[in-house]
Amino acid sequence: MTVGIVGAGITGLALAHHLEKADIEYVVLEADSEPGGVIRSDRVDGHLLEWGPQRLRRTEPVDELITDLGMDDEVIEAGETKLFVYANGKLRRAPFSIEEFGKTDLLSWRGKLDVLKEPQTDPADPDETAAELFTRKFGEEAYRNLIGPLFGGIYGSEPEQMPVKHALSGVLLMEQKYGDLLTPVLKRAMAGGTSAPAISFEEGIQRLPEALSDAHAENVHLETAISEIRQSDDGYVLETDGAEFAVDDVVLTTAAEASADLLENLTDSAESLTELNYNPLALVHLRADCDREGFGYQVRHDEGLETLGVSWNASMFDRDGVYTVFLGGMKNPKLVEESDQTLGETARTEFNDVMDADADVVSVARLGRGFPAYDASWNALDRLETPDGIHLATNYTARMGVPSRIREAKGLATTLAESHATRPADRE
Ligand SMILES: Cc1cc2nc3c(=O)[nH]c(=O)nc-3n(C[C@H](O)[C@H](O)[C@H](O)COP(=O)(O)OP(=O)(O)OC[C@H]3O[C@@H](n4cnc5c(N)ncnc54)[C@H](O)[C@@H]3O)c2cc1C
Protein backbone atom coordinates (compact mmCIF):
# COMPACT_ATOMS: atom_id res chain seq x y z
CA MET A 1 0.00 0.00 0.00
CA THR A 2 1.30 3.47 -0.88
CA VAL A 3 -0.23 6.66 0.49
CA GLY A 4 0.08 9.81 -1.64
CA ILE A 5 0.28 12.88 0.59
CA VAL A 6 -0.40 16.24 -1.05
CA GLY A 7 1.38 19.04 0.83
CA ALA A 8 4.55 19.19 2.94
CA GLY A 9 3.20 21.50 5.63
CA ILE A 10 3.32 20.23 9.19
CA THR A 11 0.27 17.94 8.66
CA GLY A 12 1.68 16.19 5.58
CA LEU A 13 5.14 15.76 7.07
CA ALA A 14 3.89 14.55 10.48
CA LEU A 15 1.68 12.05 8.63
CA ALA A 16 4.70 10.87 6.60
CA HIS A 17 6.68 10.41 9.81
CA HIS A 18 3.99 8.31 11.48
CA LEU A 19 3.34 6.24 8.34
CA GLU A 20 7.05 5.44 8.22
CA LYS A 21 6.93 4.36 11.87
CA ALA A 22 3.99 2.10 10.97
CA ASP A 23 5.92 0.63 7.98
CA ILE A 24 3.49 2.00 5.40
CA GLU A 25 4.89 3.30 2.11
CA TYR A 26 4.11 6.90 1.20
CA VAL A 27 5.16 9.76 -1.02
CA VAL A 28 4.86 13.48 -0.13
CA LEU A 29 4.33 15.92 -3.01
CA GLU A 30 4.78 19.64 -2.33
CA ALA A 31 4.29 22.52 -4.76
CA ASP A 32 6.68 24.89 -2.98
CA SER A 33 10.49 24.78 -2.96
CA GLU A 34 10.56 24.61 0.88
CA PRO A 35 8.73 22.43 3.39
CA GLY A 36 6.52 24.02 6.06
CA GLY A 37 3.43 25.44 4.29
CA VAL A 38 2.22 28.41 6.34
CA ILE A 39 5.07 27.88 8.84
CA ARG A 40 7.74 30.29 7.64
CA SER A 41 10.79 31.47 9.61
CA ASP A 42 13.71 33.48 8.25
CA ARG A 43 16.18 36.20 9.11
CA VAL A 44 15.76 39.79 7.92
CA ASP A 45 18.60 42.19 8.77
CA GLY A 46 19.77 39.59 11.28
CA HIS A 47 16.38 39.40 13.07
CA LEU A 48 14.66 36.02 13.22
CA LEU A 49 11.05 36.55 12.06
CA GLU A 50 8.03 34.24 11.96
CA TRP A 51 5.35 34.71 9.28
CA GLY A 52 3.16 31.86 10.53
CA PRO A 53 2.89 30.50 14.07
CA GLN A 54 4.77 32.52 16.67
CA ARG A 55 4.88 29.71 19.25
CA LEU A 56 3.53 26.21 19.72
CA ARG A 57 2.57 24.14 22.73
CA ARG A 58 4.83 21.17 23.49
CA THR A 59 1.95 18.72 23.83
CA GLU A 60 2.58 14.97 23.75
CA PRO A 61 2.40 14.57 19.92
CA VAL A 62 4.76 17.57 19.44
CA ASP A 63 7.14 16.19 22.06
CA GLU A 64 7.18 12.80 20.32
CA LEU A 65 8.31 14.40 17.04
CA ILE A 66 11.01 16.46 18.76
CA THR A 67 12.33 13.33 20.50
CA ASP A 68 12.19 11.15 17.36
CA LEU A 69 14.07 13.82 15.40
CA GLY A 70 16.68 14.41 18.15
CA MET A 71 15.87 18.14 18.19
CA ASP A 72 15.86 18.71 21.95
CA ASP A 73 18.94 20.92 21.89
CA GLU A 74 17.28 23.28 19.36
CA VAL A 75 14.13 23.83 21.46
CA ILE A 76 13.66 27.11 23.31
CA GLU A 77 10.96 27.45 25.94
CA ALA A 78 9.05 30.72 26.35
CA GLY A 79 10.16 32.73 29.36
CA GLU A 80 7.45 34.76 31.05
CA THR A 81 4.01 33.38 30.12
CA LYS A 82 1.82 36.39 30.97
CA LEU A 83 -0.78 37.40 28.40
CA PHE A 84 -2.43 40.83 28.29
CA VAL A 85 -5.59 42.43 26.98
CA TYR A 86 -5.58 46.08 25.95
CA ALA A 87 -8.82 47.42 27.47
CA ASN A 88 -9.88 50.90 28.58
CA GLY A 89 -6.62 52.34 27.26
CA LYS A 90 -4.29 50.09 29.27
CA LEU A 91 -2.59 46.68 29.10
CA ARG A 92 -4.20 44.43 31.70
CA ARG A 93 -3.09 40.92 32.62
CA ALA A 94 -5.41 38.05 31.67
CA PRO A 95 -5.99 35.67 34.60
CA PHE A 96 -5.03 32.00 34.27
CA SER A 97 -4.89 31.02 37.97
CA ILE A 98 -7.24 31.48 40.94
CA GLU A 99 -4.93 34.13 42.40
CA GLU A 100 -4.80 36.07 39.11
CA PHE A 101 -8.60 35.79 38.78
CA GLY A 102 -8.96 37.39 42.22
CA LYS A 103 -6.56 40.20 41.31
CA THR A 104 -7.43 40.95 37.66
CA ASP A 105 -8.69 44.44 36.85
CA LEU A 106 -10.29 43.17 33.63
CA LEU A 107 -13.34 42.15 35.70
CA SER A 108 -15.32 43.92 38.42
CA TRP A 109 -16.48 41.88 41.45
CA ARG A 110 -19.87 41.62 39.81
CA GLY A 111 -18.22 40.37 36.61
CA LYS A 112 -16.28 37.78 38.62
CA LEU A 113 -19.48 36.57 40.28
CA ASP A 114 -21.14 36.19 36.85
CA VAL A 115 -18.26 33.92 35.79
CA LEU A 116 -18.73 31.74 38.87
CA LYS A 117 -22.44 31.29 38.07
CA GLU A 118 -21.65 29.45 34.80
CA PRO A 119 -22.66 25.97 36.08
CA GLN A 120 -26.23 27.29 36.55
CA THR A 121 -26.59 28.26 32.86
CA ASP A 122 -28.17 26.15 30.11
CA PRO A 123 -25.86 23.85 28.12
CA ALA A 124 -24.15 25.09 24.96
CA ASP A 125 -26.25 25.09 21.81
CA PRO A 126 -24.24 24.11 18.69
CA ASP A 127 -26.21 26.65 16.61
CA GLU A 128 -25.65 29.72 18.80
CA THR A 129 -22.62 31.90 18.12
CA ALA A 130 -19.45 31.82 20.22
CA ALA A 131 -20.28 35.38 21.38
CA GLU A 132 -23.79 34.34 22.48
CA LEU A 133 -22.45 31.30 24.31
CA PHE A 134 -19.67 33.16 26.15
CA THR A 135 -21.96 36.08 27.11
CA ARG A 136 -24.77 33.82 28.28
CA LYS A 137 -22.47 31.57 30.30
CA PHE A 138 -19.83 33.92 31.73
CA GLY A 139 -21.51 37.33 31.61
CA GLU A 140 -21.25 40.36 29.34
CA GLU A 141 -18.19 41.82 31.05
CA ALA A 142 -16.11 38.61 30.90
CA TYR A 143 -17.00 38.24 27.23
CA ARG A 144 -16.21 41.85 26.30
CA ASN A 145 -13.03 42.30 28.33
CA LEU A 146 -11.48 38.88 28.38
CA ILE A 147 -12.88 35.94 26.44
CA GLY A 148 -13.87 37.91 23.30
CA PRO A 149 -10.41 39.47 22.79
CA LEU A 150 -8.50 36.26 23.61
CA PHE A 151 -10.71 33.86 21.62
CA GLY A 152 -11.34 36.19 18.66
CA GLY A 153 -7.63 37.06 18.62
CA ILE A 154 -6.57 33.46 18.05
CA TYR A 155 -8.45 33.36 14.73
CA GLY A 156 -8.43 37.04 13.74
CA SER A 157 -12.16 36.45 13.70
CA GLU A 158 -15.37 37.86 15.18
CA PRO A 159 -16.98 35.54 17.77
CA GLU A 160 -20.36 37.09 16.75
CA GLN A 161 -19.93 35.37 13.35
CA MET A 162 -18.67 32.00 14.60
CA PRO A 163 -21.25 29.25 15.26
CA VAL A 164 -20.36 27.08 18.25
CA LYS A 165 -20.57 23.90 16.14
CA HIS A 166 -17.68 25.13 13.93
CA ALA A 167 -15.62 27.23 16.33
CA LEU A 168 -16.01 25.46 19.66
CA SER A 169 -16.45 21.75 19.03
CA GLY A 170 -13.89 21.08 21.80
CA VAL A 171 -15.98 23.12 24.25
CA LEU A 172 -19.07 21.02 23.45
CA LEU A 173 -17.09 17.86 24.26
CA MET A 174 -15.69 19.42 27.43
CA GLU A 175 -19.18 20.33 28.64
CA GLN A 176 -20.41 16.80 27.93
CA LYS A 177 -17.50 15.39 29.94
CA TYR A 178 -17.65 17.69 33.00
CA GLY A 179 -21.31 18.77 32.99
CA ASP A 180 -20.32 22.47 32.85
CA LEU A 181 -17.44 24.63 31.61
CA LEU A 182 -16.28 26.18 34.87
CA THR A 183 -15.10 22.87 36.37
CA PRO A 184 -12.33 22.21 33.78
CA VAL A 185 -11.33 25.90 33.83
CA LEU A 186 -11.07 25.80 37.64
CA LYS A 187 -9.15 22.53 37.57
CA ARG A 188 -6.56 24.10 35.30
CA ALA A 189 -6.50 27.32 37.32
CA MET A 190 -5.95 25.36 40.54
CA ALA A 191 -2.94 23.72 38.92
CA GLY A 192 -1.53 27.25 38.55
CA GLY A 193 -2.91 27.74 35.04
CA THR A 194 -0.25 25.50 33.56
CA SER A 195 -0.57 23.72 30.23
CA ALA A 196 2.08 22.30 27.90
CA PRO A 197 4.98 24.80 27.68
CA ALA A 198 5.08 27.24 24.76
CA ILE A 199 8.16 26.62 22.62
CA SER A 200 10.00 27.56 19.47
CA PHE A 201 13.36 26.52 17.98
CA GLU A 202 16.65 28.44 17.86
CA GLU A 203 16.19 29.11 14.13
CA GLY A 204 12.40 29.37 14.28
CA ILE A 205 9.40 27.06 14.05
CA GLN A 206 10.09 26.14 10.42
CA ARG A 207 12.96 24.01 11.75
CA LEU A 208 10.37 21.37 12.71
CA PRO A 209 8.99 20.77 9.16
CA GLU A 210 12.54 21.15 7.77
CA ALA A 211 13.85 18.43 10.09
CA LEU A 212 10.91 16.16 9.18
CA SER A 213 11.49 16.76 5.49
CA ASP A 214 15.23 16.02 5.84
CA ALA A 215 14.56 12.85 7.85
CA HIS A 216 12.26 11.52 5.12
CA ALA A 217 13.96 13.18 2.15
CA GLU A 218 13.83 10.04 0.01
CA ASN A 219 10.03 10.24 -0.13
CA VAL A 220 9.50 14.02 -0.07
CA HIS A 221 9.35 15.74 -3.46
CA LEU A 222 9.53 19.54 -3.32
CA GLU A 223 8.62 21.75 -6.30
CA THR A 224 6.16 19.04 -7.34
CA ALA A 225 2.68 20.54 -7.64
CA ILE A 226 -0.19 18.11 -8.18
CA SER A 227 -2.33 19.33 -11.05
CA GLU A 228 -4.90 16.54 -11.13
CA ILE A 229 -5.99 13.39 -9.31
CA ARG A 230 -7.38 10.53 -11.43
CA GLN A 231 -9.06 7.34 -10.29
CA SER A 232 -7.34 4.15 -11.58
CA ASP A 233 -8.33 0.47 -11.45
CA ASP A 234 -6.76 -0.09 -8.07
CA GLY A 235 -6.33 3.37 -6.57
CA TYR A 236 -5.43 6.87 -7.75
CA VAL A 237 -2.89 8.58 -9.99
CA LEU A 238 -1.45 11.92 -8.89
CA GLU A 239 -0.44 13.98 -11.90
CA THR A 240 2.30 16.59 -11.87
CA ASP A 241 3.84 18.56 -14.69
CA GLY A 242 5.72 15.71 -16.39
CA ALA A 243 5.31 12.83 -13.91
CA GLU A 244 2.69 10.55 -12.40
CA PHE A 245 2.52 8.84 -9.00
CA ALA A 246 0.32 5.73 -8.63
CA VAL A 247 -0.96 5.36 -5.08
CA ASP A 248 -3.63 3.40 -3.20
CA ASP A 249 -4.87 6.17 -0.91
CA VAL A 250 -4.60 9.95 -1.15
CA VAL A 251 -4.41 12.43 1.74
CA LEU A 252 -5.03 16.09 0.94
CA THR A 253 -3.54 18.49 3.49
CA THR A 254 -4.12 21.50 1.25
CA ALA A 255 -6.16 24.61 2.05
CA ALA A 256 -9.82 24.54 0.96
CA GLU A 257 -9.51 26.20 -2.47
CA ALA A 258 -6.58 24.01 -3.57
CA SER A 259 -8.46 20.90 -2.38
CA ALA A 260 -11.56 22.00 -4.33
CA ASP A 261 -9.47 22.11 -7.56
CA LEU A 262 -7.92 18.71 -6.90
CA LEU A 263 -11.24 17.03 -6.08
CA GLU A 264 -13.08 18.60 -9.02
CA ASN A 265 -13.06 15.44 -11.20
CA LEU A 266 -13.75 13.07 -8.32
CA THR A 267 -16.85 14.51 -6.63
CA ASP A 268 -19.58 16.98 -7.58
CA SER A 269 -19.49 18.31 -4.03
CA ALA A 270 -15.92 19.67 -4.41
CA GLU A 271 -17.20 23.19 -5.11
CA SER A 272 -18.54 23.39 -1.53
CA LEU A 273 -14.92 23.85 -0.41
CA THR A 274 -14.64 27.10 -2.38
CA GLU A 275 -17.24 28.64 -0.05
CA LEU A 276 -15.10 28.42 3.11
CA ASN A 277 -13.97 31.83 4.37
CA TYR A 278 -10.42 32.43 5.53
CA ASN A 279 -9.57 35.75 7.22
CA PRO A 280 -7.03 37.90 5.38
CA LEU A 281 -4.16 39.06 7.59
CA ALA A 282 -1.25 41.46 7.51
CA LEU A 283 1.79 40.75 9.68
CA VAL A 284 4.06 43.67 10.49
CA HIS A 285 7.34 42.91 12.26
CA LEU A 286 8.65 45.73 14.40
CA ARG A 287 11.92 46.25 16.29
CA ALA A 288 11.73 48.12 19.56
CA ASP A 289 13.44 48.38 22.92
CA CYS A 290 10.86 47.49 25.60
CA ASP A 291 11.17 45.83 28.96
CA ARG A 292 7.63 44.34 29.16
CA GLU A 293 7.60 40.58 29.65
CA GLY A 294 5.04 38.06 28.46
CA PHE A 295 3.54 36.48 25.32
CA GLY A 296 1.93 39.70 24.11
CA TYR A 297 -1.53 41.22 23.98
CA GLN A 298 -4.91 41.11 22.24
CA VAL A 299 -6.95 44.27 21.76
CA ARG A 300 -10.53 44.68 23.00
CA HIS A 301 -12.84 45.39 20.12
CA ASP A 302 -14.04 48.87 20.98
CA GLU A 303 -10.61 50.39 21.72
CA GLY A 304 -10.56 52.08 18.32
CA LEU A 305 -7.33 50.33 17.20
CA GLU A 306 -6.70 48.47 13.94
CA THR A 307 -4.25 46.15 15.72
CA LEU A 308 -5.76 42.74 16.48
CA GLY A 309 -2.91 41.61 18.68
CA VAL A 310 0.87 41.70 19.13
CA SER A 311 3.28 38.80 19.84
CA TRP A 312 6.25 39.74 21.99
CA ASN A 313 8.87 37.54 20.32
CA ALA A 314 11.53 39.60 22.07
CA SER A 315 10.33 38.53 25.50
CA MET A 316 9.09 35.02 24.63
CA PHE A 317 12.22 33.78 22.89
CA ASP A 318 14.81 36.50 23.43
CA ARG A 319 14.45 37.63 19.79
CA ASP A 320 16.40 40.85 19.85
CA GLY A 321 13.61 43.47 20.09
CA VAL A 322 11.22 41.72 17.63
CA TYR A 323 7.42 42.24 17.93
CA THR A 324 4.82 40.87 15.48
CA VAL A 325 1.69 42.95 14.91
CA PHE A 326 -1.41 41.30 13.39
CA LEU A 327 -3.78 43.53 11.35
CA GLY A 328 -6.92 42.98 9.27
CA GLY A 329 -8.74 39.74 10.01
CA MET A 330 -12.53 39.60 9.93
CA LYS A 331 -12.62 42.98 11.70
CA ASN A 332 -11.16 44.93 8.78
CA PRO A 333 -10.25 42.66 5.82
CA LYS A 334 -9.88 45.67 3.47
CA LEU A 335 -6.97 47.01 5.52
CA VAL A 336 -4.80 44.17 4.21
CA GLU A 337 -5.06 45.74 0.71
CA GLU A 338 -3.37 48.98 1.88
CA SER A 339 0.25 49.76 0.96
CA ASP A 340 3.21 48.44 2.95
CA GLN A 341 3.80 51.97 4.14
CA THR A 342 0.25 52.39 5.51
CA LEU A 343 0.32 48.99 7.21
CA GLY A 344 3.77 49.61 8.70
CA GLU A 345 2.81 53.07 9.92
CA THR A 346 -0.49 51.84 11.45
CA ALA A 347 1.30 49.04 13.32
CA ARG A 348 4.14 51.32 14.47
CA THR A 349 1.93 54.19 15.70
CA GLU A 350 -0.50 51.97 17.59
CA PHE A 351 2.39 49.99 19.12
CA ASN A 352 3.87 53.26 20.30
CA ASP A 353 0.54 54.26 21.93
CA VAL A 354 0.05 50.94 23.71
CA MET A 355 3.65 50.11 24.68
CA ASP A 356 4.92 53.66 25.03
CA ALA A 357 7.98 52.73 22.94
CA ASP A 358 9.36 53.80 19.56
CA ALA A 359 9.59 51.06 16.96
CA ASP A 360 11.08 50.53 13.49
CA VAL A 361 9.30 48.53 10.80
CA VAL A 362 11.38 45.49 9.77
CA SER A 363 8.95 43.71 7.45
CA VAL A 364 5.37 43.86 6.13
CA ALA A 365 3.65 40.73 4.78
CA ARG A 366 0.14 39.69 3.80
CA LEU A 367 -1.75 36.41 3.89
CA GLY A 368 -4.74 36.71 1.51
CA ARG A 369 -6.32 33.63 3.08
CA GLY A 370 -4.82 33.53 6.57
CA PHE A 371 -6.74 32.03 9.49
CA PRO A 372 -9.75 29.75 8.87
CA ALA A 373 -12.81 31.85 9.81
CA TYR A 374 -14.89 28.97 11.28
CA ASP A 375 -17.95 31.09 10.49
CA ALA A 376 -21.30 30.14 8.92
CA SER A 377 -19.55 29.49 5.57
CA TRP A 378 -18.28 26.28 7.24
CA ASN A 379 -21.86 24.92 6.86
CA ALA A 380 -20.85 24.14 3.26
CA LEU A 381 -18.84 21.19 4.62
CA ASP A 382 -22.15 19.39 5.28
CA ARG A 383 -22.41 18.93 1.49
CA LEU A 384 -18.88 17.59 1.00
CA GLU A 385 -18.48 13.92 0.16
CA THR A 386 -15.15 12.31 -0.64
CA PRO A 387 -14.69 9.06 -2.59
CA ASP A 388 -13.26 5.97 -0.83
CA GLY A 389 -9.51 6.22 -0.50
CA ILE A 390 -9.43 10.04 -0.49
CA HIS A 391 -8.80 11.52 2.96
CA LEU A 392 -8.68 15.12 4.17
CA ALA A 393 -6.42 16.21 7.04
CA THR A 394 -6.44 19.96 7.38
CA ASN A 395 -7.83 22.97 9.21
CA TYR A 396 -11.39 22.22 8.02
CA THR A 397 -11.32 18.65 9.34
CA ALA A 398 -9.84 19.52 12.78
CA ARG A 399 -8.42 22.53 14.65
CA MET A 400 -5.73 24.75 13.09
CA GLY A 401 -3.07 24.84 15.86
CA VAL A 402 0.17 22.99 15.13
CA PRO A 403 -0.35 20.46 17.99
CA SER A 404 -3.83 19.65 16.60
CA ARG A 405 -2.46 19.27 13.09
CA ILE A 406 0.17 16.78 14.35
CA ARG A 407 -2.40 14.90 16.46
CA GLU A 408 -4.74 14.56 13.48
CA ALA A 409 -1.87 13.34 11.28
CA LYS A 410 -0.87 10.71 13.83
CA GLY A 411 -4.49 9.52 14.20
CA LEU A 412 -4.87 9.23 10.41
CA ALA A 413 -1.61 7.25 10.15
CA THR A 414 -3.04 4.77 12.67
CA THR A 415 -6.31 4.51 10.72
CA LEU A 416 -4.47 3.94 7.43
CA ALA A 417 -2.19 1.33 9.02
CA GLU A 418 -5.23 -0.51 10.40
CA SER A 419 -6.99 -0.44 7.03
CA HIS A 420 -3.77 -1.73 5.42
CA ALA A 421 -3.70 -4.62 7.88
CA THR A 422 -7.23 -5.68 6.92
CA ARG A 423 -6.87 -5.22 3.14
CA PRO A 424 -5.39 -8.61 2.12
CA ALA A 425 -8.36 -10.28 3.85
CA ASP A 426 -10.78 -8.02 1.94
CA ARG A 427 -9.24 -8.98 -1.36
CA GLU A 428 -9.50 -12.76 -0.74
C1 LIG B 1 -0.37 33.68 10.54
C2 LIG B 1 -0.60 32.39 11.26
C3 LIG B 1 -0.29 32.29 12.61
C4 LIG B 1 -0.50 31.09 13.30
N1 LIG B 1 -0.15 31.01 14.60
C5 LIG B 1 -0.17 29.82 15.23
C6 LIG B 1 0.40 29.68 16.52
O1 LIG B 1 0.91 30.66 17.10
N2 LIG B 1 0.38 28.46 17.09
C7 LIG B 1 -0.14 27.35 16.47
O2 LIG B 1 -0.11 26.24 17.02
N3 LIG B 1 -0.68 27.45 15.22
C8 LIG B 1 -0.70 28.65 14.59
N4 LIG B 1 -1.20 28.77 13.31
C9 LIG B 1 -1.84 27.61 12.68
C10 LIG B 1 -0.87 26.60 12.05
O3 LIG B 1 0.36 27.21 11.76
C11 LIG B 1 -1.44 26.03 10.74
O4 LIG B 1 -2.78 25.61 10.92
C12 LIG B 1 -0.63 24.81 10.28
O5 LIG B 1 0.74 25.13 10.17
C13 LIG B 1 -1.18 24.35 8.92
O6 LIG B 1 -0.42 23.25 8.48
P1 LIG B 1 -0.95 22.27 7.33
O7 LIG B 1 0.15 21.36 6.99
O8 LIG B 1 -2.24 21.67 7.76
O9 LIG B 1 -1.33 23.23 6.11
P2 LIG B 1 -0.37 24.15 5.21
O10 LIG B 1 0.71 24.70 6.03
O11 LIG B 1 -1.28 25.09 4.50
O12 LIG B 1 0.29 23.13 4.16
C14 LIG B 1 -0.35 22.75 2.97
C15 LIG B 1 0.74 22.55 1.92
O13 LIG B 1 0.14 22.11 0.71
C16 LIG B 1 0.88 22.65 -0.37
N5 LIG B 1 0.08 22.58 -1.60
C17 LIG B 1 -1.02 23.33 -1.93
N6 LIG B 1 -1.49 22.97 -3.14
C18 LIG B 1 -0.69 21.96 -3.60
C19 LIG B 1 -0.67 21.17 -4.78
N7 LIG B 1 -1.58 21.31 -5.78
N8 LIG B 1 0.31 20.21 -4.93
C20 LIG B 1 1.24 20.03 -3.95
N9 LIG B 1 1.26 20.78 -2.80
C21 LIG B 1 0.30 21.71 -2.62
C22 LIG B 1 1.16 24.06 0.10
O14 LIG B 1 2.23 24.65 -0.64
C23 LIG B 1 1.51 23.83 1.57
O15 LIG B 1 2.88 23.63 1.75
C24 LIG B 1 -1.03 29.96 12.61
C25 LIG B 1 -1.36 30.06 11.25
C26 LIG B 1 -1.15 31.25 10.58
C27 LIG B 1 -1.50 31.33 9.12
Side-chain angles (χ1 to χ4, degrees):
M1 174 189 183
T2 302
V3 179
I5 303 170
V6 185
I10 193 63
T11 309
L13 291 167
L15 175 62
H17 184 77
H18 285 292
L19 286 174
E20 180 136 338
K21 283 175 93 170
D23 250 343
I24 303 285
E25 286 183 18
Y26 62 89
V27 58
V28 182
L29 305 157
E30 165 58 51
D32 211 331
S33 57
E34 299 177 35
V38 302
I39 304 179
R40 284 279 179 260
S41 324
D42 209 346
R43 288 193 179 268
V44 174
D45 300 337
H47 304 297
L48 190 88
L49 308 183
E50 300 280 7
W51 286 273
Q54 308 292 307
R55 58 178 183 266
L56 70 135
R57 292 273 172 198
R58 189 171 182 163
T59 57
E60 189 274 327
V62 175
D63 186 66
E64 182 182 358
L65 286 189
I66 291 170
T67 307
D68 287 355
L69 295 164
M71 294 182 79
D72 245 314
D73 56 352
E74 292 186 46
V75 172
I76 37 177
E77 212 169 288
E80 196 47 75
T81 59
K82 291 178 210 153
L83 189 58
F84 296 84
V85 175
Y86 184 72
N88 287 331
K90 200 176 150 203
L91 285 178
R92 298 164 197 276
R93 186 168 171 186
F96 290 102
S97 68
I98 302 277
E99 197 191 346
E100 288 161 14
F101 180 73
K103 280 193 199 157
T104 184
D105 59 353
L106 280 165
L107 299 174
S108 64
W109 280 110
R110 201 193 181 103
K112 288 175 191 176
L113 275 179
D114 282 346
V115 171
L116 298 175
K117 285 189 214 151
E118 187 276 333
Q120 297 164 23
T121 59
D122 286 339
D125 171 357
D127 289 315
E128 67 187 327
T129 67
E132 283 163 347
L133 173 124
F134 289 135
T135 307
R136 188 169 63 68
K137 286 192 156 285
F138 296 105
E140 205 276 328
E141 193 179 55
Y143 170 65
R144 206 165 68 90
N145 286 356
L146 185 61
I147 308 172
L150 294 184
F151 174 75
I154 294 174
Y155 302 107
S157 211
E158 302 283 305
E160 290 82 359
Q161 305 293 328
M162 303 169 82
V164 165
K165 64 185 167 198
H166 301 314
L168 290 169
S169 47
V171 165
L172 290 174
L173 292 175
M174 209 189 277
E175 194 179 50
Q176 275 164 20
K177 182 171 170 192
Y178 292 96
D180 62 69
L181 293 177
L182 194 63
T183 304
V185 172
L186 281 176
K187 274 193 170 181
R188 179 176 281 193
M190 277 175 353
T194 48
S195 48
I199 59 160
S200 183
F201 298 85
E202 290 289 351
E203 284 305 308
I205 297 183
Q206 201 179 347
R207 276 295 299 136
L208 184 58
E210 274 170 3
L212 281 165
S213 180
D214 289 348
H216 305 296
E218 237 173 71
N219 299 318
V220 177
H221 301 254
L222 301 175
E223 295 185 87
T224 307
I226 301 301
S227 49
E228 200 181 325
I229 304 175
R230 268 189 293 116
Q231 205 145 15
S232 64
D233 290 343
D234 49 2
Y236 293 93
V237 175
L238 302 175
E239 284 189 15
T240 73
D241 191 11
E244 292 190 343
F245 295 82
V247 297
D248 297 280
D249 281 53
V250 176
V251 179
L252 296 181
T253 69
T254 43
E257 274 195 344
S259 299
D261 281 349
L262 293 173
L263 291 174
E264 199 177 42
N265 298 332
L266 299 172
T267 166
D268 289 342
S269 64
E271 55 72 41
S272 63
L273 286 170
T274 60
E275 294 175 26
L276 304 191
N277 288 335
Y278 285 72
N279 294 323
L281 286 174
L283 274 76
V284 179
H285 291 99
L286 301 176
R287 216 217 71 81
D289 292 313
C290 304
D291 54 7
R292 301 288 310 232
E293 298 208 324
F295 282 177
Y297 59 91
Q298 302 291 350
V299 177
R300 197 177 72 177
H301 234 80
D302 52 358
E303 289 299 309
L305 300 189
E306 292 295 356
T307 301
L308 302 172
V310 177
S311 275
W312 295 351
N313 312 71
S315 161
M316 278 193 294
F317 301 119
D318 211 5
R319 293 260 156 87
D320 187 28
V322 171
Y323 294 82
T324 310
V325 181
F326 289 79
L327 300 169
M330 201 186 269
K331 186 175 177 199
N332 188 357
K334 289 264 172 243
L335 183 66
V336 177
E337 293 164 20
E338 295 290 340
S339 67
D340 282 10
Q341 201 188 347
T342 303
L343 292 171
E345 201 45 32
T346 304
R348 203 182 64 75
T349 318
E350 293 189 356
F351 182 87
N352 183 284
D353 289 347
V354 173
M355 300 283 282
D356 196 21
D358 287 331
D360 296 319
V361 177
V362 182
S363 135
V364 177
R366 293 169 188 74
L367 292 173
R369 287 168 70 79
F371 293 137
Y374 298 124
D375 63 3
S377 70
W378 247 242
N379 291 339
L381 286 176
D382 294 345
R383 306 201 311 271
L384 182 66
E385 286 170 9
T386 46
D388 280 354
I390 300 272
H391 312 268
L392 302 169
T394 161
N395 53 31
Y396 44 86
T397 52
R399 309 318 297 166
M400 74 164 194
V402 172
S404 305
R405 309 295 335 113
I406 296 173
R407 192 172 54 234
E408 189 186 18
K410 185 177 176 183
L412 181 55
T414 306
T415 308
L416 289 167
E418 283 166 3
S419 97
H420 174 55
T422 57
R423 265 179 210 202
D426 287 344
R427 284 192 192 119
E428 275 163 19

